[in-house]
Amino acid sequence: MKPGRKKYNDDVKEDEDRLSDLPDCVILHILSFLDTIDAVQTCILSKRWNNLWKYLPTLILSSSNKFVSRILSLRNASTPLRALHFQRHGTMYPRLLQRMIKYAVSHHVQELSINLSSDIQHFPTCLFSCHTLTSLKLVINHPTLYAGTLFPSSLNLPALATLFLESFTFPVDDDGHTEPFSAFSSLNSLIIRGCKVLDEQNLWILSATLANLTLDTGWAYNYGKIELSTPSLCTFVFVCIGGFPALKLHGIESNLSSVKHVKIDVSIASRSIDVDISLVLLNWLVELANIKSLTINHNALEVLSKVPDLLKVEFHSLCSLKSLRVKTRTPSCIPNGTFDFLLQNSPSTKVEIIDPFR
């Protein structure tokens, strides 16, 4: 045999189509990782592949309105839809959006993700009464609508475990309360980004099952206080770009004692930091007394350092702290005294300096 020539088993043909020998369920699982427009193009491979895409359990749509409409029309009507991921930066026809959501709900969708630019004010009511939905992500970029999309007050999503909301406005009930998440009996993870409360009322997050909460204020924050009634809360993440709001964090009946892991990442110009803002952050650390790990960026430490006579402040929190991670590219610029203050009740805590872009 000449060098470099590959030897083939006599029982295996060079042009054998092994992929087509796989069961339909395996092929459909593989195709589910592709954008649906790419999955549809496999229909040219052979007769067997001609209609296979019509049974996809997952749709990933980022194409034209016409293509989306055709997919909804041609997909096999009896096949359940496990997941639908839709993203579009161009114009989205409102009727098509409603049709797509109703299609997903009627086909027992479990995971739904929608990211689009639109001034839509309301979603179809059927979306918020889908009993099969376990994960919901709604990201709405409003070109002109400052008020944002109104989050419904009537909800029936018993299986929902993960919720991600961006650019929504939460309504206020007749008693002046805002508690949009109390109806979710299975909620485990909640991410709120750039959302507001109607009439600038306080936001009350009430959930017996919530374990992970991320609050990203964005530029739209307008509430003065967040009240947490979350006895199962374990991880709290706070992100704020463009300033540090005078936002009070308060646990009902001291249930913030369940929180074990905290991340605080803020961006604020040094000239904008005042005593009131620094006292807000200090109050947060008092409320989050029993955490085991704290990840905080350099800017947040700068805010903390503005507390008058910081090292003389009576502080009984962070006694259980095991890990302190500081996000900075210039460790030498960490404000003096902040480490001593944070570690005074847990001197054996492991301290790490990490890259802020990790």
Side-chain angles (χ1 to χ4, degrees), residues 29-193:
H29 178 72
I30 295 172
L31 293 180
S32 293
F33 292 96
L34 301 178
D35 192 297
T36 302
I37 195 170
D38 297 321
V40 170
Q41 291 175 350
T42 63
C43 68
I44 65 173
L45 296 178
S46 68
K47 289 184 177 180
R48 184 195 171 194
W49 290 73
N50 191 36
N51 293 307
L52 198 57
W53 70 267
K54 296 180 180 180
Y55 299 86
L56 282 169
T58 296
L59 295 178
I60 303 175
L61 300 170
S62 57
S63 303
S64 66
N65 290 298
K66 183 177 180 181
F67 179 79
V68 172
S69 180
R70 291 286 289 170
I71 291 297
L72 299 181
S73 298
L74 297 176
R75 185 177 178 273
N76 182 269
S78 63
T79 300
L81 183 62
R82 190 189 69 81
L84 171 62
H85 304 287
F86 176 79
Q87 181 171 347
R88 181 165 175 77
H89 298 297
T91 302
M92 178 65 182
Y93 299 151
R95 288 187 179 181
L96 180 58
L97 177 61
Q98 293 197 18
R99 179 188 171 196
M100 183 177 64
I101 291 175
K102 290 179 179 179
Y103 180 93
V105 172
S106 65
H107 286 75
H108 313 296
V109 67
Q110 298 175 40
E111 299 177 19
L112 180 61
S113 173
I114 296 176
N115 186 333
L116 54 82
S117 295
S118 173
D119 279 335
I120 182 172
Q121 293 182 289
H122 303 277
F123 276 90
T125 56
C126 65
L127 172 59
F128 299 101
S129 59
C130 178
H131 287 200
T132 58
L133 199 60
T134 61
S135 177
L136 177 61
K137 180 177 181 179
L138 298 175
V139 177
I140 312 299
N141 301 301
H142 298 281
T144 60
L145 186 66
Y146 176 75
T149 301
L150 190 65
F151 195 69
S153 55
S154 179
L155 302 161
N156 186 14
L157 299 168
L160 191 70
T162 301
L163 178 61
F164 184 123
L165 297 174
E166 182 170 337
S167 299
F168 277 80
T169 296
F170 301 121
V172 179
D173 63 22
D174 295 337
D175 296 324
H177 296 149
T178 302
E179 47 178 278
F181 312 110
S182 58
F184 301 133
S185 58
S186 302
L187 191 62
N188 178 269
S189 297
L190 173 63
I191 299 176
I192 306 172
R193 177 181 293 164

Side-chain angles (χ1 to χ4, degrees), residues 341-356:
F341 176 77
L342 293 173
L343 303 177
Q344 61 182 292
N345 298 320
S346 51
S348 61
T349 296
K350 180 181 179 181
V351 179
E352 295 180 81
I353 306 298
I354 61 175
D355 191 308

